[in-house]
Amino acid sequence: MTIQESKQLFQMSVSRMKRILESTPDDRLLWTPGPAARTPLAQVVHAANSIHHIHTAMMGTRYATPTMEEADAEFLALEAGIATREEALALLDKNSQTYIDWLDQLSEERLSDMVPLPFNLGEAPLDFMLVMPAWHTNDHAAQMDYIQTCYGDRRWN
């Protein structure tokens, strides 16, 4: 996948997430189908923070948290710190724009560079990693779609 294609896929996934959040009623922003599940608002905050961490890895910095369990606790704390739709969207916009700006200056020659993966999982080529922010964001947008069906909203986003 080219840099431009990765950028377009990423922008589509962020737009999808924003559409879903916009269609989420205020009284459902903090609703969850179960005690361990993320709320729609937390899904957006999680995606925004993940975009930042994946982007940082693509620039060569390994995610410092040593285990998935510790990372989950860190993400949950970050998610709990944002309580409004506007704050969540601002974080998503900020981290998305930073990533897009980086993509705009990225050269094709760097695509074979190896990128450090979290949790001592090794490395992956940058050209493979370019799609991760889009895939991850889209996965969480799909979870938001599912949450909406749990409270009876069957609209397609």
Side-chain angles (χ1 to χ4, degrees), residues 4 7 16 19 38 52 94 104 125-126 134 136 145:
Q4 186 62 29
K7 179 181 170 181
R16 178 182 180 209
R19 278 192 315 274
R38 284 185 168 96
H52 167 75
K94 179 183 130 221
D104 286 342
L126 179 57
H136 186 266
D145 268 340

Side-chain angles (χ1 to χ4, degrees), residues 46-75:
H46 176 79
N49 284 313
S50 295
I51 291 163
H52 167 75
H53 289 299
I54 297 168
H55 176 209
T56 300
M58 285 189 235
M59 293 187 298
T61 302
R62 185 178 306 278
Y63 185 60
T65 304
T67 68
M68 290 179 203
E69 294 77 18
E70 289 172 283
D72 190 46
E74 288 175 10
F75 273 105

Side-chain angles (χ1 to χ4, degrees), residues 23-123:
S23 71
T24 302
D26 290 340
D27 66 334
R28 296 297 187 167
L29 285 176
L30 300 176
W31 185 84
T32 177
R38 284 185 168 96
T39 67
L41 195 65
Q43 295 284 351
V44 175
V45 175
H46 176 79
N49 284 313
S50 295
I51 291 163
H52 167 75
H53 289 299
I54 297 168
H55 176 209
T56 300
M58 285 189 235
M59 293 187 298
T61 302
R62 185 178 306 278
Y63 185 60
T65 304
T67 68
M68 290 179 203
E69 294 77 18
E70 289 172 283
D72 190 46
E74 288 175 10
F75 273 105
L76 290 172
L78 290 168
E79 293 157 20
I82 294 194
T84 70
R85 184 188 316 259
E86 294 74 23
E87 290 175 298
L89 285 171
L91 184 63
L92 181 63
D93 287 341
K94 179 183 130 221
N95 291 349
S96 296
Q97 190 58 55
T98 299
Y99 178 59
I100 289 167
D101 291 346
W102 180 77
L103 285 175
D104 286 342
Q105 60 79 39
L106 183 64
S107 67
E108 296 282 333
E109 293 78 35
R110 292 233 14 246
L111 295 182
S112 62
D113 289 358
M114 296 303 285
V115 171
L117 300 175
F119 318 120
N120 295 315
L121 294 173
E123 297 180 323

Side-chain angles (χ1 to χ4, degrees), residues 5-22:
E5 289 168 334
S6 296
K7 179 181 170 181
Q8 289 171 338
L9 184 63
F10 175 70
Q11 290 170 317
M12 287 177 15
S13 69
V14 170
S15 293
R16 178 182 180 209
M17 180 167 271
K18 286 179 172 184
R19 278 192 315 274
I20 298 167
L21 188 64
E22 288 168 6

Side-chain angles (χ1 to χ4, degrees), residues 140-156:
H140 285 280
Q143 290 179 38
M144 292 170 71
D145 268 340
Y146 173 73
I147 291 168
Q148 285 184 328
T149 67
C150 290
Y151 60 78
D153 183 343
R154 310 266 318 157
R155 285 178 286 177
W156 292 5

